[in-house]
Amino acid sequence: MNTDTETMNTAETTMHQMLRRYFGYQQFRPLQQEVIGDVMAGNDTFVLMPTGGGKSLCYQIPSLLLPGLTVVVSPLIALMKDQVDGLTAAGVPATFINSTLDAAEAGRRKQQVLSGQIKLLYVAPERLVLPDFLALLNRANVSLVAIDEAHCISEWGHDFRVEYRRLTILREKFPTVPIIALTATANERVQQDILQQLQLRNAKLHRAGFNRPNLSYAVKQKTTSLVSLFQIVEQHRGESGIIYCGSRARTEKLTEQLHDRGYRALPYHAGLDRETRTSNQEAFDRDDVEIICATIAFGMGIDKSNVRYIIHYDLPKNIMGYYQETGRAGRDGLPSECVLFYGQGDRAKQMQFISEKPDPNDRAVAIQQLNEMVAYAEASQCRRALLLHHFSDDYTATNCGNCDNCLSPNAIETVDATRQAQMLMSCVIRLQERFGVAHVVDVLRGSGAAKILNYRHNLLPTYGIGEATSKSEWMWLARAMVTAGYLNQDAESFNALRMTQLGREVLRNRQTIMLQRRREESSGRQERERSPRATSGLPEHNIELFQRLRQLRKRIADQEQVPAYIVFGDNTLIAMATRLPRTLEEMRMVSGVGEMKTKRYGTVFLEAIAEFFHEQPNIEKVERSIPDFVPPELSAMVLATLHAYRPGMDPQDIATARQIAKSTVMAHLESLVAHGKFDTVAPFVSPEKIEPIRAAFRRNGLAALRPVMDDLPADFATWDELRLVRADEYRKQQTNRQAITEAY
Ligand code: ADP
Ligand code: ZN
């Protein structure tokens, strides 16, 4: 009777043992355990997890538990060495075979594979399908095939690779071997395509929410002086960052400007030869340079875990791509920043490119995507919510607490633009909806430009009526009207401004037009708006020690010729610098320090810590864990909701009393609960549901709601209920943590 649960338990223990022994982690991340269980049961599996979610362990741990070989298909040859070096450093028998090896070395590795010395073999798709290679695999005992970056198989994805298509023969050649497909980006259609192409059988989809709570998002005004860009870079001096630019020339120029300011930076774009690109990427990987100024050619599969900021200096083409690029920050789970610079000319410039596309369909798609991107840049609501909606994620919080709009909602003001909006629309109509923004504004301001006179637009009744308003003000108004849906821009005819249905109605009925605008960034606000940093909140001595440990790591990495993060991740070094281990056993307890690494590096790092301790006897232990959930901030608005609350009210009652939306009330309640303004969530969540939901959060972590929802019986709870219980659980954990720190 008991055998089933007993085998289950053993399987789970061994999974955990592997996690600790090889990777030095104490706990699985959400979904990892389920995926590994599924793979170990011999099922085909489909894993959709955001970058940094921990996909690799989903096949690496099974590879250690399964009797035979695990083959990993990975698209980038350049990355295989690092992946394998990382595994080797952790004591996992892994290797790769690709075109960078000479015949003798490849032969030697094949021998190792055949003799069963290797558990994990990395190959590129084009090699895997060669008859020779398939024959080799036939003789090896293959237990599992993992397809990384599986979206590359789909033409509907944004990274289609022909070589991936040929993987369809895997099922045919290895009918009994389970396949695990993994990706961080796949919409519905791409998911279907992956399942179909790989002929996965009843594959369970393990889908983690796409939210990356440790990333902050902000949009800043683009200025020619680049002051705010350099400010961000300076705040991260010594840390790794990527600056994406729209053109090769810009990457080169910016690299130079950064050099002038004393940073180590390198460019990366398709115009550089392959060797330069590889060596620049390597320099970045190994922390020899801090910054890469790149076009989007610097892309997929950057494995570096400690990228602390991603700046987009030019407007990206679409939100999917933007989210993917920002996803390269903070894979280690530490706070990291994503900043987009946005300026007046960005939209027009992109429109220019789009108008050069020959296919009208392509143009229409590109315009739609650009409009979404512009809406993001000009948004006054939560940026995270906007981004996540593109993945039809179930993220419904209205205040994420970690984007510029949520951190300083006061930066947004609503202005009455009725009069000017009417002038603008009248002018658009007078011009028969045939002219672009610049021309419309010229007419309004009474310009004497030749184009105006040629068209006799100086005779129009709207000519010069807006003289008193500055050009940039009119430009802002036009963009805001497009964003708000009163006007649109027709790319099919030179971006002419057109009236929308809404615009006509509002104009006809002389309705008030309120537009939202961002108050210009003023110096006073900047401090408060800063997002948390990896080391923020830590005492100075601990930060100093962390820096010291980083230097040590760099020396070791250089000696061993591997990227620094392969020795230890930033989060592991921070854990060392805060927990201050004194013995190898204590070192072994630090997250990220496995058996192999304890042996190899334990002593040197202990020595470095002891030495520092000697210099700074006052350094203290800090109990600090990385927040996986940041509750909405406690603002005046939120407190007003608390005031309006009377016992017995439900959220709808509060919404009515406050005359605000119920969704806003929910966000306020979440904040109030998280900050301990309510001792219990019982008034808002049925009492019998609270404990089961709480237990599900303890199993899955607080970071994402989706795994918790999936973990509970169907229709058991609503998203709002999950959110409130999460806030309550967060408060409890905070209180416990405080008690622990005080007890130290
Ligand atoms: P992905 O492939 O999903 O982008 P990775 O597999 O590279 O993510 O993992 C991202 C980072 O998280 C790595 O540094 C990895 O070592 C770390 N990681 C993975 N699983 C865990 C875990 N259970 N506990 C702590 N860190 C983990
Ligand atoms: Zn937000």
Side-chain angles (χ1 to χ4, degrees):
M1 262 302 271
N2 270 336
T3 44
D4 244 26
T5 42
E6 268 163 29
T7 18
M8 262 302 253
N9 288 339
T10 341
E12 267 175 32
T13 350
T14 30
M15 267 185 224
H16 270 102
Q17 280 167 355
M18 297 297 145
L19 182 70
R20 294 213 179 112
R21 182 183 318 157
Y22 288 97
F23 301 96
Y25 299 135
Q26 307 301 320
Q27 279 169 350
F28 281 108
R29 293 246 181 95
L31 291 188
Q32 283 178 330
Q33 201 168 345
E34 291 82 339
V35 174
I36 295 169
D38 212 12
V39 172
M40 292 306 294
N43 298 325
D44 283 348
T45 314
F46 188 11
V47 179
L48 195 51
M49 235 186 229
T51 313
K55 286 185 284 301
S56 326
L57 284 194
C58 295
Y59 55 84
Q60 288 167 350
I61 288 194
S63 81
L64 291 164
L65 295 169
L66 290 165
L69 177 74
T70 293
V71 180
V72 185
V73 180
S74 167
L76 294 177
I77 289 179
L79 282 178
M80 283 180 197
K81 182 169 182 307
D82 287 350
Q83 283 165 330
V84 167
D85 283 348
L87 289 162
T88 312
V92 179
T95 196
F96 64 85
I97 298 183
N98 67 26
S99 53
T100 64
L101 305 176
D102 60 32
E105 179 59 23
R108 204 175 64 77
R109 295 188 182 195
K110 285 179 186 165
Q111 222 40 59
Q112 287 181 323
V113 167
L114 288 175
S115 66
Q117 292 170 51
I118 296 295
K119 300 279 358 178
L120 263 165
L121 172 63
Y122 285 76
V123 294
E126 57 273 25
R127 174 163 300 250
L128 180 72
V129 297
L130 296 178
D132 267 8
F133 204 84
L134 288 169
L136 171 81
L137 293 183
N138 251 324
R139 289 166 57 209
N141 172 22
V142 178
S143 289
L144 175 65
V145 175
I147 317 261
D148 206 1
E149 312 283 0
H151 61 278
C152 293
I153 207 169
S154 172
E155 280 172 309
W156 303 108
H158 55 92
D159 271 331
F160 175 57
R161 301 189 163 219
V162 193
E163 320 86 76
Y164 260 72
R165 263 298 149 81
R166 301 222 235 112
L167 295 174
T168 47
I169 66 163
L170 276 173
R171 177 87 309 156
E172 214 175 283
K173 299 280 177 190
F174 302 96
T176 58
V177 176
I179 297 179
I180 174 172
L182 310 101
T183 173
T185 50
N187 58 22
E188 207 45 55
R189 188 160 199 181
V190 174
Q191 289 171 30
Q192 287 312 320
D193 220 15
I194 294 172
L195 291 173
Q196 222 168 47
Q197 297 285 339
L198 292 173
Q199 300 173 52
L200 299 190
R201 285 184 290 242
N202 304 322
K204 177 154 185 221
L205 169 62
H206 294 273
R207 181 173 173 278
F210 278 91
N211 188 16
R212 305 272 316 275
N214 62 315
L215 304 191
S216 71
Y217 301 96
V219 177
K220 289 191 184 290
Q221 185 78 32
K222 197 190 265 184
T223 55
T224 38
S225 70
L226 298 183
V227 177
S228 26
L229 184 134
F230 291 127
Q231 252 171 15
I232 299 172
V233 175
E234 180 56 31
Q235 279 156 358
H236 289 280
R237 198 178 267 275
E239 298 179 335
S240 302
I242 304 173
I243 305 178
Y244 282 106
C245 306
S247 69
R248 296 174 188 184
R250 180 99 82 194
T251 64
E252 302 273 358
K253 178 92 192 294
L254 201 53
T255 306
E256 216 170 275
Q257 288 168 306
L258 287 165
H259 279 173
D260 293 346
R261 286 170 173 75
Y263 300 98
R264 291 161 297 149
L266 284 172
Y268 189 106
H269 54 73
L272 299 169
D273 61 49
R274 182 198 282 253
E275 269 156 46
T276 314
R277 287 208 307 262
T278 311
S279 87
N280 288 4
Q281 166 152 4
E282 254 173 38
F284 182 61
D285 262 358
R286 299 185 179 188
D287 289 346
D288 289 335
V289 299
E290 322 162 57
I291 305 162
I292 287 280
C293 299
T295 57
I296 51 168
F298 190 61
M300 189 168 58
I302 296 162
D303 245 2
K304 193 170 166 54
S305 63
N306 62 346
V307 176
R308 290 277 78 88
Y309 62 97
I310 306 271
I311 295 176
H312 279 76
Y313 188 67
D314 291 305
L315 195 66
K317 292 192 177 54
N318 58 59
I319 289 207
M320 280 275 216
Y322 179 63
Y323 198 63
Q324 170 129 35
E325 279 149 26
T326 56
R328 291 172 185 139
R331 289 166 76 112
D332 51 14
L334 295 174
S336 308
E337 245 184 300
C338 310
V339 181
L340 166 67
F341 280 88
Y342 177 64
Q344 306 238 345
D346 282 350
R347 187 175 196 280
K349 203 188 299 160
Q350 294 268 3
M351 277 299 216
Q352 185 63 40
F353 289 130
I354 293 174
S355 65
E356 284 160 15
K357 285 179 189 280
D359 180 349
N361 263 339
D362 288 356
R363 280 202 298 271
V365 171
I367 290 167
Q368 153 108 24
Q369 293 184 331
L370 175 61
N371 284 340
E372 287 166 1
M373 201 62 234
V374 169
Y376 172 82
E378 297 185 344
S380 45
Q381 73 268 44
C382 177
R383 309 239 191 238
R384 184 180 311 274
L386 267 173
L387 289 172
L388 292 173
H389 286 159
H390 282 266
F391 299 89
S392 64
D393 210 74
D394 30 64
Y395 189 85
T396 52
T398 43
N399 186 320
C400 74
N402 201 14
C403 76
D404 52 354
N405 288 339
C406 292
L407 285 168
S408 53
N410 296 337
I412 303 295
E413 57 185 344
T414 306
V415 293
D416 183 342
T418 312
R419 222 173 64 81
Q420 272 148 335
Q422 285 169 350
M423 289 185 197
L424 181 70
M425 289 191 286
S426 316
C427 191
V428 166
I429 292 171
R430 293 282 177 190
L431 291 168
Q432 296 174 325
E433 304 178 78
R434 284 173 44 218
F435 292 84
V437 179
H439 191 83
V440 176
V441 171
D442 274 352
V443 172
L444 283 164
R445 299 197 70 241
S447 145
K451 191 175 169 195
I452 303 266
L453 305 179
N454 288 346
Y455 279 109
R456 299 173 163 253
H457 286 162
N458 51 331
L459 305 178
L460 292 175
T462 48
Y463 180 78
I465 56 170
E467 209 174 7
T469 304
S470 74
K471 184 162 178 170
S472 63
E473 183 74 10
W474 279 119
M475 297 298 262
W476 165 76
L477 186 77
R479 275 184 296 128
M481 297 279 289
V482 171
T483 306
Y486 299 111
L487 294 173
N488 68 31
Q489 254 174 315
D490 186 354
E492 290 300 299
S493 53
F494 309 103
N495 298 330
L497 279 180
R498 297 255 157 96
M499 298 290 291
T500 62
Q501 187 67 27
L502 177 69
R504 280 181 210 288
E505 271 168 33
V506 165
L507 186 62
R508 182 170 349 103
N509 303 329
R510 310 234 137 242
Q511 280 167 19
T512 309
I513 297 177
M514 304 297 286
L515 294 174
Q516 291 197 309
R517 82 187 297 174
R518 183 154 261 280
R519 289 208 177 95
E520 281 322 311
E521 290 169 24
S522 62
S523 48
R525 248 186 37 237
Q526 301 238 328
E527 262 323 291
R528 212 183 72 76
E529 212 191 292
R530 293 260 308 122
S531 318
R533 293 186 53 170
T535 49
S536 58
L538 287 183
E540 218 169 291
H541 290 330
N542 302 84
I543 297 179
E544 225 178 294
L545 174 56
F546 168 57
Q547 300 300 0
R548 192 78 68 86
L549 298 179
R550 286 182 58 173
Q551 289 160 9
L552 173 60
R553 171 180 72 179
K554 174 76 178 132
R555 282 200 300 278
I556 296 176
D558 285 348
Q559 259 165 30
E560 302 189 353
Q561 303 197 353
V562 294
Y565 63 85
I566 282 184
V567 178
F568 284 125
D570 278 8
N571 40 0
T572 302
L573 295 191
I574 289 181
M576 285 185 199
T578 49
R579 299 184 57 164
L580 310 176
R582 287 162 178 258
T583 64
L584 281 174
E585 286 73 57
E586 284 176 8
M587 181 58 101
R588 183 73 183 70
M589 294 306 294
V590 171
S591 173
V593 187
E595 218 162 70
M596 188 76 161
K597 291 193 181 173
T598 311
K599 274 199 208 121
R600 266 173 96 157
Y601 311 121
T603 314
V604 255
F605 278 86
L606 281 178
E607 279 168 8
I609 295 167
E611 189 184 316
F612 190 85
F613 206 74
H614 195 70
E615 288 168 32
Q616 296 290 356
N618 297 334
I619 185 171
E620 282 180 45
K621 271 193 196 197
V622 187
E623 192 65 31
R624 178 175 188 274
S625 61
I626 300 153
D628 53 358
F629 163 70
V630 186
E633 204 181 321
L634 203 56
S635 64
M637 289 280 283
V638 174
L639 289 169
T641 297
L642 181 63
H643 274 298
Y645 174 74
R646 301 279 171 277
M649 280 182 158
D650 70 10
Q652 186 53 59
D653 300 333
I654 307 176
T656 314
R658 285 270 279 122
Q659 295 198 312
I660 54 180
K662 185 172 159 223
S663 59
T664 312
V665 171
M666 293 315 303
H668 290 179
L669 289 177
E670 193 184 352
S671 168
L672 291 167
V673 170
H675 293 97
K677 300 290 171 192
F678 286 101
D679 289 340
T680 157
V681 284
F684 313 110
V685 183
S686 336
E688 75 281 2
K689 291 188 189 174
I690 297 177
E691 280 318 310
I693 300 177
R694 191 188 298 288
F697 273 114
R698 292 201 173 147
R699 284 194 295 276
N700 295 284
L702 304 187
L705 297 175
R706 166 60 75 179
V708 172
M709 190 57 108
D710 289 347
D711 195 357
L712 292 164
D715 298 328
F716 182 81
T718 64
W719 296 107
D720 280 339
E721 288 172 330
L722 293 194
R723 224 168 259 122
L724 290 177
V725 175
R726 171 167 70 178
D728 196 38
E729 178 60 22
Y730 168 84
R731 173 182 62 89
K732 289 203 168 157
Q733 289 185 7
Q734 292 297 102
T735 325
N736 287 343
R737 232 168 250 162
Q738 205 146 3
I740 293 170
T741 325
E742 279 159 13
Y744 247 98

